[in-house]
Every structure is written in structure tokens, then in C-alpha cells.
Amino acid sequence: MPKVALVTGSNKGIGFAIVRSLCKQFNGDVFLSGRDAGRGTAAVESLNSEGLKPLFQQLDIDNPESVRAARDFFNEKYGGLDVLINNAGIAFKNADTTPFGTQAEVTLKTNFFATRDMCNEFLPIIKPGGRVVNVSSVMSSIALNRCSPELQARFRSNDITEEELVGLMERFVQEAQAGAHSQGGWPDTAYGVSKTGLTVLSRIHARKLRHERPADQILLNACCPGWVRTDMAGPTATKSPDEGAITPVYLALLPAGAGEPQGQFVMDKKVHPW
């Protein structure tokens, strides 16, 4: 059975560049995915014109039924998944006038809660020797440092549970909606908090894999792709999408038998202290 890789949110931007790079380097089937079948198929055809052969899977991470349908597809067709790159994410522009409470709710819905749903559905079908990469952001670290000392201590602790983390993310949304997030010890960045949550979730899930499946040698890490010229970051960013793909692909292709990095936050292929 061929090996198989899935990249979420990959019809454009960094995700698209990750698919391109995996098609050149990964020995197996590579699935480009996105909400919209039309845009996804167009993206596949664009890579076909470069001589690459990705496949397309319709997947809306915000829709639990779509997530479960994709999980069932990979389980039935491939007996699981070898590489999962959780790249799908959203960000409001700095100039956006949407109320902060709404920005908090919408941003965390995709970047934290939906990505957590992806992990909880797909981690059980990741094959031995598999690799999971959560595309976070340096903003996760910046937002962490702007949190209250109490929140920082929990987010950095090695005993925080997934339930506690979910409770804290829900609290941020509630306090943002009430206009009370600053008093609650939170920074003024919904995107940053969503990515703090994702980096901490990565640490929790890696710890869980170590405890529950130690023999399977699955490596799970969070990373920052850098400041990349995409629809999200805009045209003045310093990296091309192909440059942004380098660290996620490096983590996806860590050699068989490697024990680390595991549960780390990685930038420019280097582990950064959390």
C-alpha cells in the first residue's frame, strides 16, 4: 500500500507550496485539500502543468462531518495516514473593523477548535512512523509573552491537559466578547491566542503519543513557516510560499527512526524554546 500525505487548506498560499514540495520529495500519494472542489481541482491542474501529480480531497475542517468523511476515506483506501500537515487557518487583517469579540470567536473556531477536531479524528489513524505538523506562527510565542504570568505558567507547563487548554481558549472568546479580555490577562491578538493554543495543543498531543503509542515513533510538532507572501500576510512579507514550506516539509519528512524533534515549536528548522 502506498504511503500517503494530506495537507489541509492547500489550494493556495503556504499549503499549496507544501503540496508542491511534497510531490517532489515524498515517496507516496500527496493529497491537496480544501473546502471548494472547484478551487481545489484548479490547484491540482496547476501542479499537473508542472509535471506533479497531487490528488484532491474535499475537506472543510470547520465541518465535523467533512472531517470524519475524509478520515474514513483515508482509513478505507490507505489503512490510515502517514503524514498530516494541519495548515488550514484564517486571520483578520489589522485594518478590519469587525468587533474583537467576533474576531476572537471566528479565528479560534478554525485555528484552534477545528484543528483540534482534525487532530482528534486523525491521530488514531496515523500509522507507525507517521509525522504530524501543525502550522502555527511566531505570533503564538509573541502572544504567549503578552499573556499574564498566570496564563503563561499554564501554557508553558508540562502537565496542562487538553481539557484545561480548551477551557482557557473558551474563556478567551467569552472574555473578548464581553470586552474583558485585557483584565483576564489576554493580549489584543485573536490570531496570536489561536496559535498559542495550537502550539500548546501540539505539546499535549506529542506527550500523549509518547505515553500511549511509544513504539510507533510518531513525531508531532508545531512550526512557524515565517512571514510569507500570501493572501493572509500580504505582498510585503519577506518569504515566498516555497520558502515558507521548507520547515513544515522538513518536519513532515523527518527520517525513519528519528526520536526528535517531538512536541516542539520549530522555526527555520530549529527548535525554539517555548
Side-chain angles (χ1 to χ4, degrees):
M1 192 171 285
K3 286 193 158 191
V4 61
L6 169 65
V7 186
T8 69
S10 52
N11 60 284
K12 64 178 185 176
I14 296 167
F16 181 76
I18 290 171
V19 170
R20 175 192 277 130
S21 180
L22 284 176
C23 283
K24 295 173 181 175
Q25 298 181 67
F26 178 71
N27 186 20
D29 290 347
V30 180
F31 277 81
L32 181 151
S33 72
R35 287 175 297 197
D36 185 280
R39 287 199 295 261
T41 307
V44 165
E45 286 168 359
S46 168
L47 290 171
N48 289 162
S49 72
E50 297 178 27
L52 304 173
K53 298 277 185 281
L55 299 154
F56 178 69
Q57 172 66 34
Q58 195 278 333
L59 172 58
D60 177 2
I61 72 163
D62 284 328
N63 179 340
E65 285 176 11
S66 176
V67 170
R68 285 193 290 269
R71 176 205 63 195
D72 291 346
F73 166 79
F74 287 105
N75 218 10
E76 286 155 19
K77 185 160 171 38
Y78 294 93
L81 197 59
D82 297 284
V83 170
L84 171 61
I85 301 185
N86 285 309
N87 165 78
I90 62 159
F92 285 84
K93 304 290 185 202
N94 287 335
D96 198 302
T97 55
T98 303
F100 187 73
T102 305
Q103 292 196 24
E105 181 181 12
V106 171
T107 305
L108 267 75
K109 178 177 191 274
T110 295
N111 295 1
F112 179 76
F113 292 103
T115 306
R116 172 181 176 245
D117 189 37
M118 272 295 299
C119 289
N120 287 333
E121 295 292 356
F122 275 85
L123 282 181
I125 71 161
I126 300 292
K127 295 184 185 183
R131 304 287 182 253
V132 180
V133 183
N134 292 329
V135 179
S136 184
S137 166
V138 69
M139 279 304 300
S140 72
S141 184
I142 293 168
L144 173 71
N145 287 316
R146 292 181 189 163
C147 286
S148 67
E150 295 79 8
L151 286 171
Q152 288 190 45
R154 292 319 297 147
F155 289 142
R156 288 196 168 101
S157 80
N158 291 321
D159 63 2
I160 186 172
T161 63
E162 187 166 336
E163 293 68 31
E164 183 185 352
L165 176 61
V166 166
L168 287 169
M169 292 292 111
E170 288 172 343
R171 194 185 103 194
F172 168 68
V173 172
Q174 289 158 1
E175 292 180 349
Q177 288 172 330
H181 63 282
S182 299
Q183 299 93 294
W186 301 98
D188 283 317
T189 164
Y191 180 78
V193 171
S194 77
K195 294 298 194 176
T196 300
L198 181 56
T199 300
V200 176
L201 184 71
S202 305
R203 288 161 56 87
I204 292 167
H205 283 169
R207 201 169 69 219
K208 194 171 162 186
L209 285 168
R210 270 198 299 268
H211 288 154
E212 294 177 5
R213 298 176 63 180
D216 285 352
Q217 298 189 311
I218 296 165
L219 296 180
L220 184 155
N221 292 284
C223 69
C224 177
W227 191 32
V228 179
R229 292 186 292 277
T230 60
D231 290 349
M232 183 186 287
T236 57
T238 48
K239 286 186 177 182
S240 70
D242 287 325
E243 289 168 328
I246 289 172
T247 293
V249 170
Y250 157 74
L251 291 170
L253 301 179
L254 287 167
E260 53 191 45
Q262 171 70 317
Q264 302 288 353
F265 178 61
V266 181
M267 285 171 54
D268 294 322
K269 302 204 283 192
K270 292 185 185 67
V271 170
H272 275 248
W274 179 245

